[in-house]
Amino acid sequence: MFRRLLTLVLVIGACSIAQAQKSTPTDMVPVKGGTFVPLYGSNNQTVTVQSFRMDRYPVTNAQYEDFLAKYPKWRKSEVKALFADAGYLKHWASPLGVGPAADKLKDSPVINVSWFAAKAYCECQGKRLPTVNEWEFAALASETKKDASSEPSFYQRSLDWYSQPNPKYLPPVQSAFKNYYGLYGMIGLVWEWTSDFNSALIVGESRQNASLDRQLFCGAGSTGASDVKNYVAFMRYAFRSSLKANYTVANLGFRCVQDVPVQTTAKK
Amino acid sequence: MKRFTLYLFTLIALGLTACQQEVAHEDDSCCAKPVAEGLPDGTGTLAIPAAALTDMSLYNLDSDWQNQRGEELKLQNFQGKVQLVAMVYTHCSYACPRIVADLKRIEMGLEQYKQEDIGIVLVTMDPARDTPARLLQFAESNNLNPKRWTLLTSEQDNIRELAALLNMKYKMELDGEISHSNIISVLNENGEIIHQAEGLGVEPDETVNAIKSLLQKI
C-alpha cells in the first residue's frame, strides 16, 4: 500500500518537475530588472526594466527549420509578402532548410527573417520578442559586469564588430561573446529584432518622419544622444529606425524573451 | 482495498492526463496570428472568404478590434470600400487635432461621392486611456459623421502590428504623451496601401486624387 502511495507521489512529482522545467527552460537565462538611461530616452530619463528571461542564444537555422516543419504557413513558399519580403530566408537552398551548407550553418543564427516571422516564432514557443529597452538593458553587460557602459574597452568590441564585413558563413551561436548574464552573441554575431522596433528614433513631437533622420544624422541633432561616446547604441537605434516589419536583412536575426511569472507562495 | 487501488490508479491517470493536456494546449494556443481565417463563429456579417485577401492586404491581420460603439470587429470588415487610415490618441494636444483636420480637408475634396463610398478609420495608439466610450466622445466633439468615421482600439500588441504595416513609428513617453509619426494612408477596397501622405498640413490634393482614381476603377 505504501508503495502505491509512493508511486502516486512520484508520478505527481514527475509531472510537476516537468512543469517546473518548462517554466525555467535551460535554454534561457534570467535577467534581473533594473534601471538605465537609454540612448534616445526623453531628456535622459531613467527607464525601468522588469525582470525577464532571455534566450541564451539567438535562434539558429536548425531551430528555424523545426519551426517551419511545424508551421508550414511560414515557409518561403507559403508566406504572404505582407509578412515577409522576397529576401526571406534567401540564404537557404530550399524552402525547408539550409541545404548543403547545413553542417556549416545549422548552429548559426537564422537571418533574413522578418519581424512578423520572428514574432510568430517566439509566440509559438510561448515567448515574445524583447522590447528595445529589454534588449538594450541586457546588452549593457560585459563578461564580468552587468553594466559596462563606462568601460571604453567594452565599446571597442562593438566597434570592431561593426567595422568588419559579414562573414560568408556566420559562426555558430555557441562561439560568440558570452556576457555577464550568460547571454551569447548580444554583440558580435547578428543584429536582433525587437518587438517595438518601430518606436525607435522618435525625438519629441516629430512633424514628419524625415525630421527623425535629421535629428539623428545632423551634427547638432546627434548631441541629443544621452551618451555621445555611445556610438554603438546609436548605430543600433539608427538601424532599427530604418526597418519595416516585412524586411529581411542578411545580418538581422532574433532571440525571444519571457516574463518572469509572479511567484506563487501558496503552491506546496 | 481493491476500491482504494482503483481510486489510486484513477488519480494517477488523471494526473498524467492533466500533464499531457497542458502540453497539447500550449501547442494549439500559439501562433494564432497572423492567420487569415474566416470569422470563427460564423456569426460575422461579412461573407468574404479569407482566400479573397490579396498578399499585401492589411486585412490579413486577424486581430480583434472594437469600434467607438464597443462593437467587436475584424479588419476584414473594412474590405470592399476605399479607406483612409490614420493613428491618433485622444489625449494628444497638438498633432492629433491637426491630423483630424487634415482628414477633414481630404473629406471636403470628396464631396461629390456618397458617404458610403469612402470610410475613414482612426486607430488609437493609446488603448489604456482610449476606451470605446472615450473614442465616441472624441468623435462627437469633433463632429465625426459615424456613417463615415470609425474609431478603433485593440490590445497594444495588435495596434503595434498594424502600425508596423502602416510604417507608423510611435513611442510612449514617461509624461503620458506619445511621440509618433503622422501618416495618412489610403487603402484600396482590398486593404492594400496605395498612397501615403507623411507629415501635418500636407496639401490634400494628392491624397484626394489617389482616392478619386481608385473610386473611378471600382
Side-chain angles (χ1 to χ4, degrees):
Chain A
M1 182 59 234
F2 180 70
R3 189 173 291 172
R4 286 208 186 97
L5 258 177
L6 193 71
T7 319
L8 178 69
V9 170
L10 276 178
V11 166
I12 289 172
C15 187
S16 44
I17 286 169
Q19 299 270 338
Q21 277 175 344
K22 206 177 67 190
S23 60
T24 47
T26 52
D27 56 353
M28 300 185 90
V29 299
V31 177
K32 195 167 179 294
T35 58
F36 78 116
V37 180
L39 185 65
Y40 281 92
S42 309
N43 313 318
N44 290 354
Q45 277 169 317
T46 301
V47 165
T48 304
V49 173
Q50 301 297 324
S51 296
F52 61 97
R53 298 191 190 112
M54 193 170 219
D55 282 354
R56 198 179 288 276
Y57 308 109
V59 174
T60 63
N61 283 305
Q63 287 173 316
Y64 205 79
E65 282 180 10
D66 290 345
F67 167 67
L68 294 196
K70 263 172 110 178
Y71 302 101
K73 71 164 181 283
W74 287 102
R75 286 178 194 164
K76 196 179 169 62
S77 50
E78 305 295 318
V79 75
K80 287 184 164 36
L82 185 73
F83 298 130
D85 68 18
Y88 182 54
L89 296 173
K90 70 175 175 211
H91 64 298
W92 284 16
S94 87
L96 296 178
V98 183
D103 50 335
K104 287 196 192 75
L105 284 178
K106 68 178 167 36
D107 291 329
S108 303
V110 68
I111 46 170
N112 295 314
V113 284
S114 66
W115 177 76
F116 281 105
K119 190 167 174 285
Y121 179 97
C122 291
E123 280 165 10
C124 288
Q125 323 291 319
K127 302 177 187 174
R128 60 179 172 81
L129 285 174
T131 63
V132 171
N133 285 340
E134 285 168 339
W135 198 96
E136 288 291 331
F137 181 75
L140 281 180
S142 66
E143 285 98 333
T144 51
K145 279 171 115 176
K146 263 188 212 177
D147 183 355
S149 56
S150 57
E151 289 174 21
S153 61
F154 182 65
Y155 293 106
Q156 198 53 44
R157 184 196 305 276
S158 298
L159 293 174
D160 289 350
W161 172 42
Y162 295 162
S163 62
Q164 275 164 18
N166 292 325
K168 186 169 182 223
Y169 297 108
L170 283 166
V173 292
Q174 296 86 351
S175 69
F177 153 68
K178 179 188 179 186
N179 78 7
Y180 172 86
Y181 299 107
L183 298 166
Y184 287 74
M186 292 296 282
I187 295 163
L189 201 52
V190 283
W191 304 71
E192 297 182 11
W193 279 111
T194 52
S195 60
D196 54 346
F197 76 96
N198 59 341
S199 72
L201 285 198
I202 305 281
V203 185
E205 194 89 45
S206 59
R207 293 178 63 94
Q208 38 188 334
N209 280 2
S211 68
L212 304 176
D213 297 341
R214 229 179 296 130
Q215 300 252 19
L216 241 196
F217 296 113
C218 294
S222 57
T223 56
S226 62
D227 191 346
V228 176
K229 77 178 174 205
N230 202 340
Y231 171 75
V232 170
F234 174 91
M235 289 276 290
R236 289 199 290 267
Y237 281 77
F239 179 60
R240 281 180 200 128
S241 81
S242 69
L243 292 169
K244 289 185 181 181
N246 71 338
Y247 278 16
T248 61
V249 182
N251 59 353
L252 178 60
F254 69 101
R255 75 179 78 205
C256 314
V257 296
Q258 242 175 7
D259 293 329
V260 175
V262 183
Q263 286 202 328
T264 47
T265 45
K267 222 168 189 176
K268 286 268 157 76
Chain B
M1 181 62 217
K2 216 172 187 181
R3 183 176 289 176
F4 188 69
T5 317
L6 193 70
Y7 179 64
L8 248 179
F9 274 111
T10 318
L11 256 182
I12 293 171
L14 272 177
L16 280 174
T17 329
C19 198
Q20 278 165 350
Q21 270 175 348
E22 179 101 6
V23 173
H25 178 70
E26 194 174 69
D27 277 352
D28 292 338
S29 64
C30 82
C31 231
K33 58 194 173 170
V35 205
E37 278 170 16
L39 294 175
D41 50 9
T43 56
T45 46
L46 278 181
I48 301 162
L53 290 175
T54 54
D55 247 30
M56 289 305 282
S57 170
L58 302 197
Y59 305 149
N60 282 303
L61 290 179
D62 194 40
S63 38
D64 296 308
W65 297 77
Q66 272 190 312
N67 66 14
Q68 69 268 36
R69 289 177 294 278
E71 294 158 349
E72 301 282 338
L73 64 158
K74 298 267 185 191
L75 296 180
Q76 277 156 276
N77 291 60
F78 294 99
Q79 198 170 10
K81 199 197 263 196
V82 173
Q83 304 283 351
L84 270 166
V85 187
M87 294 186 75
V88 297
Y89 69 109
T90 66
H91 288 78
C92 172
S93 47
Y94 169 64
C96 306
R98 293 282 310 274
I99 207 151
V100 171
D102 284 355
L103 284 164
K104 284 185 169 174
R105 280 168 74 203
I106 295 169
E107 203 184 5
M108 273 160 58
L110 299 165
E111 271 175 337
Q112 71 215 75
Y113 299 100
K114 281 185 285 189
Q115 291 284 344
E116 307 84 76
D117 289 341
I118 306 146
I120 304 179
V121 183
L122 293 178
V123 182
T124 181
M125 296 171 267
D126 187 14
R129 289 183 291 179
D130 283 342
T131 58
R134 167 85 193 183
L135 292 174
L136 182 61
Q137 192 194 339
F138 180 83
E140 283 170 351
S141 63
N142 284 282
N143 295 318
L144 308 180
N145 182 341
K147 276 190 189 146
R148 175 162 277 172
W149 295 69
T150 307
L151 289 82
L152 282 186
T153 183
S154 184
E155 286 164 38
Q156 185 59 261
D157 199 39
N158 299 333
I159 293 170
R160 181 134 329 256
E161 214 168 48
L162 178 60
L165 289 177
L166 292 169
N167 306 318
M168 279 286 297
K169 294 174 189 292
Y170 68 98
K171 183 184 182 202
M172 312 291 176
E173 303 295 348
L174 297 175
D175 60 4
E177 294 286 320
I178 300 176
S179 302
H180 59 93
S181 38
N182 292 293
I183 301 178
I184 293 174
S185 306
V186 179
L187 307 187
N188 67 14
E189 70 279 15
N190 296 319
E192 298 162 332
I193 298 173
I194 58 111
H195 181 79
Q196 290 195 307
E198 290 189 22
L200 292 172
V202 176
E203 281 303 309
D205 302 4
E206 252 189 79
T207 308
V208 168
N209 289 336
I211 295 170
K212 282 184 177 168
S213 69
L214 268 183
L215 287 171
Q216 276 158 13
K217 272 187 231 158
I218 294 177

